[in-house]
């Protein structure tokens, strides 16, 4: 059974504060790690696809790092804004054509 | 707009019935993934098709089946429906081939309610 775990399940952040959360995945047979943002009443949208150990990706105030040897990825939000409120999903691909999602971290940014 | 079209958006039916959910991927995308999101559950992988061929199956029930047609649209067939099949069903497409996968583009989902 492939377990992709995300922690914490939810968090509340004050506007302007920075935050980060974790995605853990099996370290064997790694091909790719995806991050998606899922806003209420919308569909998930891709943030990053990461394939190499040590990868760092950045999009605006959001960035992610990847450690494939120990099986984790961090997503960082710098200077959180209300529009960052969403559920952030990570997904693990191990080359068997299945992309397995974690349960997500729900971020609520308080003004 | 992701370019992925799912129909119907909402569907209400009774237990024991059969429904078909349809997905049109982004133009040029050969891969189609189906996911189920039940209440308080994350996205559960059901099945992946690439250019008409089944590539991988997840926790898909035997009462469910899918296919991808030559024009690349895909259908998910759900039969002998049970109350527990009520969920949001997402289709996503990707342009990648081979053993890698690029980002998925999700449709808006089909919300199925079984009464």
């Amino acid at each position: 059974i492939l377990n992709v775990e995300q922690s914490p399940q939810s968090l509340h952040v004050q506007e302007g504060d920075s935050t980060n959360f974790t995605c853990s995945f099996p370290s064997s047979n790694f091909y790719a790690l995806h991050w998606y943002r899922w806003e209420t009443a919308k569909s998930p949208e891709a943030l990053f696809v990461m394939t190499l150990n040590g990868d760092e990706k950045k999009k605006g105030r959001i960035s992610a790092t990847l450690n494939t040897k120990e099986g984790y990825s961090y997503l960082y939000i710098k200077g959180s804004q209300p529009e960052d409120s969403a559920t952030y999903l990570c997904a693990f691909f191990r080359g068997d054509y299945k992309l397995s999602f974690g349960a997500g971290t729900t971020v609520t940014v308080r003004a | 707009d992701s370019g992925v079209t799912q129909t119907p958006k909402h569907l209400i039916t009774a237990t024991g019935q059969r429904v078909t959910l349809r997905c049109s991927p982004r133009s040029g995308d050969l891969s189609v993934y189906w996911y189920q999101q039940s209440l308080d559950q994350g996205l559960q992988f059901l099945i992946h098709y690439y250019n008409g061929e089944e590539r991988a199956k997840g926790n898909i029930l035997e009462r469910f089946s899918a296919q991808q047609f030559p024009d690349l649209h895909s259908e998910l067939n759900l039969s002998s429906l049970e109350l527990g099949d009520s969920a949001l069903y997402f289709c996503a497409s990707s342009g990648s081939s081979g053993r890698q996968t690029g980002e998925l583009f999700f449709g808006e989902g089909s919300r199925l309610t079984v009464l």
Side-chain angles (χ1 to χ4, degrees):
Chain A
I1 296 176
L2 185 63
N3 286 328
V4 181
E5 297 185 356
Q6 293 188 246
S7 63
Q9 185 176 1
S10 64
L11 59 91
H12 294 259
V13 188
Q14 199 66 33
E15 182 177 359
D17 287 351
S18 297
T19 188
N20 65 83
F21 37 93
T22 309
C23 172
S24 301
F25 51 88
S27 56
S28 60
N29 298 323
F30 176 87
Y31 270 71
L33 191 285
H34 295 213
W35 281 100
Y36 291 81
R37 181 163 75 183
W38 192 359
E39 295 180 64
T40 303
K42 294 187 177 180
S43 303
E45 291 184 356
L47 288 170
F48 308 114
V49 176
M50 308 172 79
T51 57
L52 298 175
N53 184 43
D55 249 357
E56 292 188 19
K57 300 269 187 177
K58 187 174 180 182
K59 184 181 286 190
R61 293 177 292 95
I62 300 177
S63 61
T65 60
L66 177 67
N67 183 323
T68 62
K69 293 182 192 283
E70 297 183 36
Y72 65 84
S73 176
Y74 292 128
L75 192 82
Y76 299 89
I77 304 176
K78 184 178 178 181
S80 302
Q81 298 298 309
E83 58 265 31
D84 296 328
S85 296
T87 296
Y88 292 83
L89 302 171
C90 69
F92 174 66
F93 183 72
R94 62 180 185 184
D96 60 354
Y97 306 110
K98 301 177 186 178
L99 188 62
S100 300
F101 280 82
T105 294
T106 299
V107 175
T108 304
V109 181
R110 296 180 286 214
Chain B
D1 182 5
S2 68
V4 178
T5 303
Q6 286 189 249
T7 57
K9 285 188 169 48
H10 300 276
L11 188 57
I12 301 174
T13 189
T15 55
Q17 295 298 305
R18 172 190 171 96
V19 298
T20 297
L21 309 180
R22 182 187 168 103
C23 170
S24 294
R26 285 191 326 157
S27 177
D29 282 357
L30 301 179
S31 273
V32 169
Y33 291 77
W34 285 98
Y35 288 89
Q36 178 193 55
Q37 192 214 6
S38 303
L39 194 63
D40 294 333
Q41 297 278 327
L43 289 172
Q44 301 297 315
F45 170 73
L46 294 178
I47 199 162
H48 171 208
Y49 277 87
Y50 177 77
N51 201 21
E53 291 187 9
E54 180 187 304
R55 278 286 171 91
K57 266 187 177 179
N59 298 323
I60 187 167
L61 299 171
E62 286 190 10
R63 299 182 287 107
F64 295 2
S65 64
Q67 59 184 128
Q68 187 180 27
F69 295 86
D71 67 353
L72 302 177
H73 90 272
S74 178
E75 293 181 357
L76 180 67
N77 300 297
L78 315 175
S79 61
S80 302
L81 286 167
E82 301 176 359
L83 295 178
D85 297 328
S86 296
L88 187 56
Y89 291 86
F90 280 107
C91 164
S93 74
S94 170
S96 297
S97 62
R99 297 180 73 82
Q100 276 296 349
T101 188
E103 63 184 277
L104 299 189
F105 294 86
F106 282 82
E108 294 183 344
S110 292
R111 182 167 294 284
L112 173 66
T113 302
V114 182
L115 300 176

